[in-house]
C-alpha cells in the first residue's frame, strides 16, 4: 500500500464543516433523524417484547397477583427472602419469631424501611 493513498487531502482554505454537510455524507441531519427514529422504535419494540415475556412468566404473574391480594404478606416475603441470605440460621429464626410478635403497624413500618434500605443498596 502506498503511503500517499492513506492521506486525506483538503484544500488549504476549505472548511471541514462544509465537507461534513455534504448531502451524500452520513452526517446529514435527515439521515440522522431517520436513524434515530428507527433506533427509538427498535428500543420500544424490544422493551415491549421484554415486558410481554416477563408478564407471561407464570412465577412473575403469580407474584403480581399475590402482591395485589396480600400486599403486606408479599412485602414480608420479599424482605425476608433478601435477609435470609445475610443471617445465620438461628439469627434468621429469631428475626422471624420477633417479627411475628410485634404489633402490625410496627411490623409494617419495619418492613417498609427495610425494603427501602435493601432496594437502595442495589443502586
Amino acid at each position: 500500500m502506498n503511503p500517499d493513498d492513506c492521506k486525506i487531502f483538503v484544500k488549504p482554505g476549505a472548511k471541514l464543516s462544509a465537507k461534513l454537510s455534504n448531502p451524500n455524507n452520513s452526517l446529514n441531519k435527515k439521515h440522522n433523524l431517520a436513524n434515530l427514529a428507527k433506533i427509538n422504535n427498535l428500543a420500544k419494540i424490544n422493551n415491549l417484547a421484554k415486558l410481554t415475556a416477563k408478564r407471561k412468566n407464570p412465577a412473575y404473574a403469580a407474584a403480581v397477583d399475590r402482591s395485589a391480594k396480600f400486599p403486606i404478606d408479599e412485602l414480608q416475603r420479599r424482605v425476608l427472602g433478601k435477609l435470609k441470605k445475610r443471617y445465620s440460621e438461628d439469627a434468621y429464626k429469631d428475626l422471624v419469631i420477633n417479627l411475628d410478635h410485634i404489633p402490625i403497624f410496627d411490623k409494617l413500618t419495619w418492613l417498609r424501611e427495610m425494603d427501602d434500605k435493601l432496594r437502595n443498596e442495589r443502586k
Side-chain angles (χ1 to χ4, degrees):
M1 187 166 157
N2 189 353
D4 291 334
D5 292 339
C6 298
K7 292 182 182 178
I8 298 175
F9 294 100
V10 179
K11 292 181 184 178
K15 292 184 178 178
L16 187 57
S17 61
K19 291 189 174 281
L20 292 176
S21 63
N22 183 355
N24 295 328
N25 196 327
S26 64
L27 296 176
N28 190 351
K29 286 184 180 179
K30 290 180 183 177
H31 183 69
N32 280 346
L33 291 176
N35 279 344
L36 185 60
K38 287 179 186 177
I39 290 170
N40 283 341
N41 287 339
L42 185 60
K44 288 178 184 177
I45 290 170
N46 287 338
N47 190 26
L48 185 60
K50 286 179 186 177
L51 288 175
T52 303
K54 182 167 83 171
R55 290 183 182 144
K56 293 298 178 184
N57 182 338
Y60 180 81
V64 169
D65 289 341
R66 277 193 319 263
S67 181
K69 291 178 186 173
F70 310 106
I72 296 173
D73 292 340
E74 190 63 18
L75 177 64
Q76 181 175 342
R77 184 199 59 79
R78 188 172 56 239
V79 169
L80 290 178
K82 292 175 187 174
L83 290 177
K84 190 175 195 176
K85 301 170 191 171
R86 299 176 181 206
Y87 282 73
S88 67
E89 187 176 335
D90 292 333
Y92 182 74
K93 285 180 186 177
D94 290 340
L95 174 67
V96 172
I97 290 169
N98 289 333
L99 200 56
D100 286 339
H101 287 92
I102 61 174
I104 187 69
F105 293 113
D106 293 337
K107 178 179 181 177
L108 185 59
T109 303
W110 184 84
L111 286 171
R112 284 183 179 163
E113 288 173 359
M114 189 56 67
D115 188 43
D116 289 342
K117 181 181 175 185
L118 291 170
R119 286 178 188 235
N120 288 335
E121 284 181 359
R122 286 189 286 161
K123 292 181 182 179

